[in-house]
Amino acid sequence: MADLPANLRISNHPLIQHKLSILRDKRIEPKKFRELIREISILLAYEATADLRLTDKEVETPLATAHCRAVVETIGLVPVLRAGLGMVEGIWEMMPGAEVWHIGLFRDERTLRPVQYYNKLPINPTVQVCLILDPMLATGGSATATVDILKHWGAERIKYVGIIGAPEGVNRLHTAHPDVPIHLAALDERLNEIGYIVPGLGDAGDRQFGTG
Ligand code: PRP
Ligand code: URA
């Protein structure tokens, strides 16, 4: 891709790159695959939340008053079923006050278009920052549809946290929603004829859940 969108952040963190090299390996078992998805997600979320807003807070330690800062924004984790599920638990441990709102989408294998099958968002938004969690950004149809859903809900600050993206998906998401930062561990070469990311890691849902 000649010009990368300004809002695309591909992590160079050595731990993320090391774990990704193991995750891609077709020989690893679902248990190890899930562990790596979890660990990479924590590290990516750490980077993606670097601009959360803080407020001053005074805390009484056993010795004196400490001038601290605490996150003020309420956070929603939005995993896209199924593959996004494996990204939730680790991140949630880092921010246990976050709400988790699941969105169910699958790609129609023939058209590659996203089909929504689960959405229990309440009428009004309940969080200030949404982190969309889905490891694969392929055509970008699922990610774009998820941002559409969240914006329609009224969400104002939305970030996409994925693991591997294809240029097609990054461009589509950025063109539709240039205000949404895209955090990835890698930007791969291309999509193949059936919409899989190459080299990618195969089917992220099947590899997590042992259904391939
Ligand atoms: C995968 C992935 C994304 C989507 C990406 O889900 O988790 O949601 O494909 O493809 P796109 O960018 O072309 O929309 P999939 O449809 O395989 O469902 P699953 O997670 O339930 O297996
Ligand atoms: N979904 C996946 O799980 N993998 C891909 O490469 C593309 C979509």
Side-chain angles (χ1 to χ4, degrees):
M1 180 154 61
D3 293 318
L4 297 177
N7 67 356
L8 174 64
R9 317 275 151 76
I10 300 173
S11 178
N12 272 327
H13 198 292
L15 291 180
I16 293 180
Q17 293 307 315
H18 180 83
K19 290 175 190 296
L20 180 61
S21 76
I22 307 171
L23 185 75
R24 287 185 190 269
D25 191 326
K26 66 182 181 186
R27 295 168 299 182
I28 64 165
E29 298 296 321
K31 182 171 188 295
K32 182 70 182 167
F33 191 89
R34 289 193 296 274
E35 282 171 18
L36 289 161
I37 290 274
R38 182 181 188 284
E39 292 165 0
I40 292 170
S41 301
I42 294 171
L43 295 167
L44 286 170
Y46 172 81
E47 294 184 345
T49 52
D51 63 352
L52 287 182
R53 294 184 188 119
L54 296 167
T55 186
D56 292 334
K57 178 180 177 183
E58 298 202 336
V59 175
E60 297 304 321
T61 78
L63 300 180
T65 301
H67 303 288
C68 304
R69 292 183 301 160
V71 172
V72 277
E73 290 177 297
T74 50
I75 302 168
L77 304 180
V78 184
V80 179
L81 307 177
R82 286 177 304 167
L85 277 179
M87 299 180 71
V88 176
E89 288 294 333
I91 298 176
W92 210 4
E93 279 174 26
M94 301 299 122
M95 44 188 94
E99 298 178 11
V100 180
W101 295 103
H102 301 84
I103 298 292
L105 293 176
F106 69 87
R107 269 197 332 180
D108 181 298
E109 282 180 16
R110 197 175 45 84
T111 63
L112 297 184
R113 291 217 181 110
V115 180
Q116 185 182 316
Y117 62 91
Y118 187 84
N119 175 356
K120 291 283 184 190
L121 291 169
I123 292 175
N124 295 313
T126 55
V127 292
Q128 291 165 313
V129 183
C130 289
L131 301 185
I132 298 176
L133 308 177
D134 189 339
M136 309 305 278
L137 181 58
T139 66
S142 304
T144 303
T146 306
V147 178
D148 289 341
I149 291 167
L150 293 177
K151 284 190 175 175
H152 185 253
W153 186 40
E156 288 178 358
R157 225 148 90 78
I158 303 171
K159 295 161 177 273
Y160 179 91
V161 183
I163 294 182
I164 302 180
E168 294 88 334
V170 167
N171 276 331
R172 182 163 171 187
L173 178 55
H174 175 68
T175 302
H177 298 292
D179 56 312
V180 174
I182 303 170
H183 294 265
L184 296 173
L187 180 63
D188 276 9
E189 290 162 22
R190 62 185 171 87
L191 294 179
N192 69 10
E193 58 288 350
I194 55 168
Y196 275 76
I197 301 174
V198 180
L201 51 69
D203 189 304
D206 283 345
R207 292 195 66 189
Q208 278 180 73
F209 296 106
T211 50

